[in-house]
Amino acid sequence: MRDNLENNPFSALFPSVNDTEKFTRIIQSSGQIPLGTSNVVARNKSVQEASSVSPEVKCDSEIDEIVKRVFHLTLKNEPIPSCQLVYLEDLATALAPEDSIDINNLGQALFERLLLEDPSKHLVIHPPQESSHLDGHVIQKNVITYLFECYKRLYERKSSAKNKDLPCIDQGIGLIYQNAATALRQCELFENQSLHLQILELFADENVTNHNLSYFFEGIIKEFIKEDGEIEVINSLLNAFQLTLDVIHKDFASRSLLSYNGSYFRFLHLFSANKYLGQVLLKHSAPKNPQLGNSFADTLIGAILCLSCLPKSQNGLFEYFDKPLQQTPSIVEGNIWSSTQNICENLHKIFYNLLKCSSEVRHQTLNWIGECLHSNAARGKIWSSHVFHIGSPACVSDGFILNLSSVLLHLCQPFCSDLKDVKLLKIDPTYCAVNVNSDEESRKKGVHLKKIATETCLIPAPENLSRPTADCYGFVSECFFLAHRALDLGFRVIFERLMRLNQDLARMQRAFNDAQSQAGAQSELVQAIGERMEMEMSRYLSFRAALLEPTSLQMMSQLHVATAVWLVQVTLNTDIQVPMSSYAPMKFKEMSFPLPEEIPITLSCIPEFIIENTACFLSFVRRFNPRNLEEEGFNFLNPLLTEVLVFMGSPQRMKNPHLRARMAECLESLLPHHNEEQPMLNPNPLGCYFRERLFKEHPFRKQIILSLLDVFVGIEMTGQSVAFEQKFNYRRPMYIVMDYLWQIEDHRKCFKILATEAEANMEAVTPPLFLRFINLLMNDAVFLLDDALSNMAQLRQMQAAREAGEWENLPPQERDQNEGFLQHTGMIARFDNILGRETIHTLEFLTSEITSIFCHPTMVDRIASMLNYFLYHLVGPNKKNFKVKDQKEYEFNPAGIVMDICKIYVHLYKSRIGGGSLIADLQAVAAKVADLASQQQTEEEILAEAPDEFLDPIMSTVMVDPVILPSSRKTVDRSTIARHLLSDQTDPFNRSPLTMDMVTPNSELLSQIQTWIKEKKQQARNSSDSQD
């Protein structure tokens, strides 16, 4: 018997010949009636007769039906009525005189059937004309397709009530699994067939249910496990499905966002839901070089993540919006969003299945994501967002990182969608303080985000203390920080590129208009600029569409609001005793101001990009999708403003002054409207009702002005190497916010309270906040307007030279340099004009109700000198020097500035004498100014020859109250050093620390000055009397 078994092809289905012999003995000893001689129960028998048949006979009858109706096989070359059968000639010869297929030889029969190259040549049908109604399954050539159909038909028979207890059906299904596993393991047996494509065809068939596919492949996997065991089975399965996965990878890599094959997702969903196949998928998608970020894009999962309206590579072409001036962007956007949403939902299902199918697969999945983000960390560098035309070839594409972000946002939904759910408070703030160095450590700690411990955090760790870390971290913490890291490397970077591209387009538009006016619409230069503008507009619309995908934007808004709630709770969680097993807040605490004095050490573990992401998101939606701020209602906006108030005015909780200034930009983004914005073509249909409520009803709204002025003053001395002009970029949104808040009574009162407190503490050791604020306000006004006027004069000269034809005679290179310098100067002038105007306007509305502090001896000379200086230049004899072509383009509005200056004069004048109409007030001011100017001129003439020791070394004016500085021992006027200390609390001569309480009066010098002034005035009176 052993020799016969060794030569039997069916023995290949068993691990060894011994196993084959054992199976044969069991079948022979069971005493089953051979299938060919069994008595089949007739269909027209009564129920009573059928129930009296023994189980063995019933099973044999069912096997006969299975062979004929499921497998369609026979050992007799004789047609049977109503049956379409395939005659197995070789097996019939080998088994002769046995001429029936039973459970003993069904496996042999099935294997031989699979080896037939053309089953139709072995067909036995009766009568012959039945071939016109032939069942395609009977002559199916494809091995996997045939086996799956057999499985499906067997499963249907098993599902019927009368067959539930028949073991022969399970045996038949087992044989199908065995043969399918053998085919996949030894595909060379079927060299003329593409088994991997047959598998994909099954999943492409919409008539095939997921249930059948799932059970079919699970059975196959069990056969692999029987053969190889739990450990080695992964490699065997990878070999079996390698070609199938390769086909999917190659196809996705060659497709675009709108042309991918959706049926592949069905296959990947099944793969990702099985703990063995999930490992196969991840092993197949392992990057060749994990240190190179773009190697992740060269994997199957990476190829899907690359499907986007943005190029698949950093330097690839933009395929959409190729004719931006001829297309309707909204139609293209709708197609892009629909397809992107479908891809991200399918990707989410794949990752979700991988994460939940087993702890090992979860670890491998999180490791893949963590490695991907780490190897693409270069995307977050400053140069990455600036030089988007070149980009970083070592990193994945923008579309890849946006889609990965969307997947992570989907995974965050369970703990972000309900702000009252305590799951949100399970996020451990110390996650990013952990530095894992091995796979085992990563698995043990539950930290898969690599090298994140090097990120700059909200506050530095206390000296001589290590940052706290928990024993291990749950999935909620991992998912939260992975999502934020992805947004930091994706959404933030792309938004910054979008804004720079927007600025470039504005400059191109100005250059296009200039070229048209000078060279004509048909010139080569105009056409070249137009083509470049069209190309850049395609980029712009593509970036914009990618960032505006509605589903991702909605989930992002939920994440940022949840982050705001969580950050505030972390700030309130001061009950920390290091070490602890977990540092998550775990329970909600009531928020109130003032904040607790104790600063939780956990803030030293939270990266700055967590807050930076929120600032970036708010800035984006304010510009491109303001309805997002209204859709969720007041409860959505409320936590965001609370977060801003907690961190903007608290350097103890967020050290970086630049990031605190970004909080002021968040305030601007939350404003209901902006006075200087142009009306939108498609206004927000939801209005701004909830944003208006936010600034009128927020429980901590009275903290806004205090926090805003604190950060306004705080960014003056950042302690870091930053361009001087950078502070003006930070302050611009603050001017807009203050202008809006001044119109609300509650906030106007806050300004007045701070002003009153400042006036009462003018000589305090630490200068009052409001006093420092208005001092810096005047400093900014002087610098900005003076710089703006200088640039406007320079622009006038360059425009005049160009219009006179002087540039036409220059070499092309020099002419291009002049054009570039003209545009650069114009850009700077425009910036200075906007900020200078806003600074003066801020002084105007402040002085409308706050005047006494501006008239204080410490401030009055400065503000008067400033106003007089600009009034003289703007309306004096040299005003023509600033008259340039296209003043609106440079935002130069001298009439508006003059009006604000006049209003400031009137406000301060009214505070002393009351007032009437504006014209009358201005006339009274003018008369008073003329009188004071005459007195000032007389006094300057009297004091013109003052000794040097009487002059202030900084202002070169006669000192009124000389004081000695403690470290440099220099003598200056008290008002001079007081103004200096408002912005810089150091000795101006040696930079040592200095406060007003450290200076000492120089009484001796004061006496000398007063005596000398008295003598000079007496001499002047005597001289005047003698002339009379």
Side-chain angles (χ1 to χ4, degrees):
M1 182 178 72
R2 185 178 185 86
D3 292 337
N4 292 335
L5 289 174
E6 287 177 344
N7 296 324
N8 193 324
F10 178 64
S11 63
L13 296 173
F14 294 86
S16 66
V17 176
N18 291 334
D19 292 328
T20 310
E21 289 180 336
K22 182 179 180 182
F23 176 80
T24 304
R25 293 191 190 98
I26 293 172
I27 295 299
Q28 291 175 343
S29 62
S30 65
Q32 292 179 344
I33 301 172
L35 187 63
T37 59
S38 63
N39 294 319
V40 180
V41 179
R43 286 190 175 87
N44 59 355
K45 292 269 188 174
S46 65
V47 175
Q48 290 79 6
E49 288 175 322
S51 61
S52 65
V53 178
S54 68
E56 291 80 5
V57 173
K58 188 176 181 182
C59 191
D60 288 341
S61 173
E62 180 62 24
I63 289 177
D64 186 60
E65 284 292 297
I66 288 172
V67 171
K68 291 190 295 186
R69 307 295 178 186
V70 175
F71 296 104
H72 295 274
L73 304 177
T74 182
L75 296 181
K76 298 178 181 180
N77 193 11
E78 301 173 0
I80 300 176
S82 303
C83 288
Q84 300 173 358
L85 304 174
V86 172
Y87 173 53
L88 303 176
E89 184 177 358
D90 291 344
L91 184 61
T93 302
L95 296 180
E98 184 69 42
D99 62 355
S100 63
I101 300 175
D102 57 19
I103 196 62
N104 296 329
N105 54 32
L106 178 57
Q108 291 175 280
L110 180 57
F111 187 73
E112 183 168 324
R113 163 65 178 82
L114 297 178
L115 291 175
L116 295 177
E117 291 187 7
D118 188 359
S120 63
K121 294 181 180 180
H122 305 270
L123 191 62
V124 178
I125 56 175
H126 177 82
Q129 59 266 27
E130 276 196 13
S131 59
S132 60
H133 303 288
L134 192 61
D135 184 354
H137 170 59
V138 178
I139 58 173
Q140 177 61 253
K141 296 180 181 180
N142 293 336
V143 170
I144 299 299
T145 309
Y146 173 78
L147 288 173
F148 179 75
E149 182 62 26
C150 290
Y151 163 80
K152 191 169 68 170
R153 295 185 182 192
L154 268 181
Y155 191 85
E156 288 172 357
R157 298 180 75 86
K158 181 179 179 180
S159 300
S160 63
K162 65 178 183 178
N163 295 329
K164 277 188 176 180
D165 299 325
L166 290 181
C168 53
I169 295 182
D170 289 329
Q171 291 173 342
I173 291 175
L175 290 172
I176 292 173
Y177 291 155
Q178 291 171 19
N179 279 274
T182 300
L184 291 173
R185 189 188 294 276
Q186 302 178 33
C187 54
E188 64 273 8
L189 293 173
F190 310 96
E191 57 184 10
N192 295 325
Q193 297 200 33
S194 300
L195 301 185
H196 59 288
L197 296 180
Q198 295 174 26
I199 293 173
L200 295 178
E201 288 171 1
L202 286 181
F203 285 87
D205 188 348
E206 295 180 356
N207 295 319
V208 176
T209 66
N210 291 333
H211 181 271
N212 282 335
L213 286 170
S214 178
Y215 277 93
F216 178 65
F217 281 93
E218 282 182 11
I220 295 173
I221 294 166
K222 289 178 181 178
E223 292 299 322
F224 272 85
I225 295 173
K226 289 178 184 177
E227 176 76 16
D228 301 309
E230 292 272 350
I231 298 176
E232 297 298 327
V233 73
I234 304 302
N235 289 329
S236 297
L237 288 171
L238 179 58
N239 291 331
F241 291 101
Q242 178 81 44
L243 290 176
T244 308
L245 294 171
D246 286 346
V247 168
I248 297 175
H249 178 193
K250 184 177 180 180
D251 194 72
F252 271 123
S254 65
R255 298 300 185 107
S256 69
L257 175 65
L258 302 181
S259 66
Y260 61 89
N261 188 338
S263 67
Y264 293 151
F265 282 123
R266 194 179 182 193
F267 174 83
L268 294 174
H269 292 163
L270 182 145
F271 245 64
S272 58
N274 182 279
K275 67 178 182 178
Y276 301 105
L277 294 180
Q279 292 183 65
V280 170
L281 177 59
L282 289 169
K283 196 166 186 177
H284 184 274
S285 289
K288 294 179 180 178
N289 185 356
Q291 282 71 43
L292 283 179
N294 60 358
S295 65
F296 284 84
D298 296 331
T299 65
L300 191 159
I301 294 176
I304 305 173
L305 287 166
C306 284
L307 293 175
S308 167
C309 64
L310 302 177
K312 291 186 178 182
S313 62
Q314 289 290 353
N315 304 315
L317 296 176
F318 286 76
E319 301 177 9
Y320 302 90
F321 305 101
D322 54 333
K323 299 292 181 183
L325 303 180
Q326 301 173 19
Q327 295 172 317
T328 303
S330 59
I331 296 176
V332 181
E333 282 181 342
N335 293 332
I336 288 172
W337 293 342
S338 176
S339 188
T340 302
Q341 182 178 349
N342 184 54
I343 287 171
C344 291
E345 286 177 352
N346 279 289
L347 279 168
H348 165 245
K349 187 172 182 179
I350 292 170
F351 277 97
Y352 178 75
N353 288 343
L354 290 171
L355 289 167
K356 74 173 185 177
C357 66
S358 76
S359 59
E360 177 59 29
V361 178
R362 170 182 287 199
H363 166 69
Q364 294 180 18
T365 304
L366 292 172
N367 196 58
W368 192 95
I369 298 173
E371 288 279 6
C372 178
L373 294 175
H374 169 59
S375 63
N376 285 282
R379 287 183 53 86
K381 306 301 181 184
I382 294 177
W383 54 263
S384 179
S385 60
H386 287 206
V387 193
F388 65 87
H389 291 286
I390 299 176
S392 173
C395 293
V396 295
S397 66
D398 294 325
F400 180 108
I401 204 73
L402 282 180
N403 287 337
L404 181 58
S405 300
S406 180
V407 169
L408 292 167
L409 287 170
H410 273 95
L411 294 173
C412 287
Q413 286 301 290
F415 58 86
C416 285
S417 53
D418 185 358
L419 300 179
K420 296 181 180 179
D421 193 335
V422 293
K423 285 199 293 285
L424 176 62
L425 300 186
K426 292 182 179 180
I427 301 170
D428 195 310
T430 65
Y431 176 91
C432 293
V434 179
N435 191 14
V436 292
N437 298 308
S438 67
D439 184 75
E440 184 58 34
E441 191 177 359
S442 177
R443 189 192 304 267
K444 180 180 178 181
K445 295 286 288 186
V447 175
H448 295 83
L449 197 51
K450 308 296 189 297
K451 305 296 183 183
I452 198 66
T454 60
E455 288 290 319
T456 304
C457 293
L458 297 182
I459 60 174
E463 290 187 21
N464 303 321
L465 287 178
S466 299
R467 292 186 296 177
T469 58
D471 293 342
C472 62
Y473 298 87
F475 176 72
V476 173
S477 296
E478 282 232 85
C479 191
F480 176 82
F481 286 105
L482 285 170
H484 267 291
R485 184 55 167 165
L487 292 175
D488 175 51
L489 300 179
F491 189 92
R492 178 186 63 82
V493 172
I494 299 168
F495 174 52
E496 290 176 3
R497 290 179 184 172
L498 179 66
M499 293 307 297
R500 291 185 178 278
L501 190 51
N502 188 39
Q503 295 169 3
D504 290 344
L505 283 169
R507 284 193 288 270
M508 287 182 197
Q509 184 65 56
R510 289 194 291 270
F512 182 81
N513 295 338
D514 288 344
Q516 269 192 325
S517 63
Q518 293 179 34
Q522 302 303 318
S523 70
E524 291 184 5
L525 178 61
V526 170
Q527 292 179 3
I529 296 176
E531 290 174 1
R532 178 67 186 278
M533 284 179 61
E534 192 169 50
M535 183 181 71
E536 295 303 297
M537 180 59 74
S538 295
R539 293 175 181 269
Y540 175 84
L541 291 174
S542 297
F543 280 127
R544 181 178 178 274
L547 295 179
L548 278 173
E549 196 279 302
T551 302
S552 294
L553 208 60
Q554 175 70 15
M555 293 188 296
M556 209 181 304
S557 66
Q558 292 179 344
L559 174 66
H560 289 305
V561 175
T563 300
V565 172
W566 174 76
L567 277 170
V568 170
Q569 290 301 315
V570 170
T571 302
L572 298 176
N573 185 31
T574 57
D575 303 328
I576 297 174
Q577 296 178 351
V578 180
M580 298 173 67
S581 60
S582 172
Y583 295 86
M586 298 308 292
K587 62 180 182 179
F588 288 98
K589 290 187 177 182
E590 193 71 25
M591 171 68 191
S592 64
F593 279 93
L595 295 170
E597 292 184 4
E598 187 175 355
I599 308 299
I601 192 174
T602 49
L603 292 179
S604 66
C605 306
I606 301 176
E608 289 182 346
F609 65 70
I610 300 293
I611 286 183
E612 181 69 36
N613 284 342
T614 300
C616 175
F617 169 77
L618 289 175
S619 182
F620 174 79
V621 295
R622 198 273 289 178
R623 288 174 171 84
F624 296 99
N625 191 32
R627 66 178 296 160
N628 185 272
L629 296 171
E630 293 289 328
E631 287 174 337
E632 300 296 329
F634 185 77
N635 291 333
F636 164 79
L637 298 169
N638 190 60
L640 290 172
L641 183 52
T642 302
E643 176 191 7
V644 169
L645 295 178
V646 167
F647 290 99
M648 183 173 67
S650 179
Q652 299 85 6
R653 291 171 177 81
M654 188 161 67
K655 182 181 179 182
N656 189 343
H658 307 284
L659 195 53
R660 290 194 290 119
R662 287 283 278 157
M663 293 289 94
E665 292 182 34
C666 292
L667 270 182
E668 181 204 14
S669 299
L670 292 172
L671 291 182
H673 55 78
H674 296 71
N675 293 333
E676 296 187 0
E677 283 186 349
Q678 297 296 321
M680 298 176 63
L681 294 177
N682 299 307
N684 178 14
L686 299 178
C688 51
Y689 170 72
F690 291 113
R691 282 174 287 167
E692 289 178 347
R693 281 186 58 193
L694 182 67
F695 289 95
K696 294 178 181 178
E697 299 179 19
H698 191 278
F700 311 120
R701 61 189 179 278
K702 293 184 179 180
Q703 293 291 324
I704 297 177
I705 299 301
L706 178 63
S707 298
L708 190 62
L709 298 193
D710 185 79
V711 74
F712 185 100
V713 171
I715 61 173
E716 182 71 18
M717 297 300 294
T718 64
Q720 301 176 25
S721 178
V722 179
F724 174 72
E725 292 81 2
Q726 182 64 42
K727 67 179 181 181
F728 299 118
N729 284 322
Y730 291 147
R731 283 177 178 160
R732 185 183 180 189
M734 301 181 197
Y735 292 136
I736 297 172
V737 173
M738 286 188 280
D739 187 23
Y740 174 77
L741 295 179
W742 181 261
Q743 302 168 40
I744 301 174
E745 180 63 27
D746 279 350
H747 299 293
R748 195 158 59 246
K749 286 181 179 178
C750 292
F751 274 111
K752 293 179 182 178
I753 291 171
L754 291 173
T756 302
E757 292 176 354
E759 194 172 1
N761 296 277
M762 296 291 284
E763 301 296 329
V765 173
T766 301
L769 177 62
F770 192 82
L771 183 61
R772 298 183 68 190
F773 163 63
I774 60 174
N775 175 69
L776 294 174
L777 205 58
M778 288 187 284
N779 287 349
D780 288 358
V782 170
F783 173 83
L784 290 167
L785 288 176
D786 197 43
D787 203 41
L789 294 178
S790 174
N791 285 319
M792 295 305 294
Q794 196 171 9
L795 280 173
R796 175 180 169 82
Q797 293 176 0
M798 287 189 288
Q799 287 181 351
R802 186 176 66 176
E803 292 174 3
E806 296 178 14
W807 290 10
E808 295 179 3
N809 300 323
L810 297 174
Q813 184 177 359
E814 189 174 347
R815 187 167 59 246
D816 291 343
Q817 288 178 347
N818 285 352
E819 288 287 354
F821 185 63
L822 175 64
Q823 290 187 14
H824 178 71
T825 304
M827 181 181 66
I828 295 175
R830 185 175 184 273
F831 176 83
D832 289 341
N833 282 325
I834 292 173
L835 264 71
R837 185 176 66 238
E838 290 175 347
T839 307
I840 291 294
H841 178 65
T842 302
L843 284 168
E844 183 276 320
F845 68 69
L846 286 175
T847 55
S848 67
E849 296 194 29
I850 300 172
T851 56
S852 57
I853 193 169
F854 289 97
C855 296
H856 190 277
T858 306
M859 307 300 296
V860 68
D861 289 343
R862 289 196 63 214
I863 193 166
S865 299
M866 178 191 74
L867 297 175
N868 291 343
Y869 175 79
F870 290 119
L871 203 58
Y872 173 78
H873 282 83
L874 292 171
V875 300
N878 296 325
K879 64 179 181 180
K880 62 181 182 296
N881 295 338
F882 315 118
K883 189 175 182 180
V884 300
K885 183 181 178 181
D886 299 327
Q887 287 190 164
K888 287 185 178 180
E889 181 181 340
Y890 302 111
E891 296 287 345
F892 185 51
N893 182 16
I897 297 174
V898 169
M899 177 59 74
D900 278 338
I901 290 175
C902 291
K903 286 181 179 179
I904 294 172
Y905 274 125
V906 170
H907 295 160
L908 299 179
Y909 181 73
K910 279 183 178 180
S911 69
R912 296 302 179 92
I913 63 172
S917 67
L918 179 61
I919 299 298
D921 288 338
L922 285 174
Q923 290 173 342
V925 169
K928 184 68 174 177
V929 167
D931 182 48
L932 292 173
S934 176
Q935 295 180 23
Q936 181 72 16
Q937 183 177 1
T938 301
E939 191 164 317
E940 287 178 356
E941 291 174 355
I942 293 173
L943 304 179
E945 299 179 357
D948 289 345
E949 62 269 22
F950 291 177
L951 299 179
D952 183 280
I954 296 175
M955 302 300 295
S956 295
T957 56
V958 176
M959 290 182 281
V960 177
D961 186 3
V963 293
I964 302 172
L965 306 185
S967 60
S968 64
R969 305 307 298 170
K970 295 285 187 179
T971 297
V972 296
D973 195 61
R974 182 182 293 274
S975 62
T976 299
I977 195 61
R979 285 195 298 270
H980 168 79
L981 292 177
L982 291 176
S983 55
D984 185 0
Q985 293 192 312
T986 62
D987 188 316
F989 299 99
N990 62 11
R991 311 303 297 169
S992 59
L994 178 65
T995 56
M996 280 304 295
D997 65 322
M998 297 167 66
V999 303
T1000 56
N1002 193 334
S1003 303
E1004 182 180 351
L1005 181 59
L1006 175 61
S1007 177
Q1008 294 175 12
I1009 293 172
Q1010 290 175 341
T1011 301
W1012 181 82
I1013 292 174
K1014 185 177 180 181
E1015 292 175 354
K1016 281 293 183 179
K1017 287 184 176 181
Q1018 185 61 46
Q1019 291 174 8
R1021 281 195 294 270
N1022 294 339
S1023 176
S1024 176
D1025 292 342
S1026 64
Q1027 290 177 3
D1028 293 341

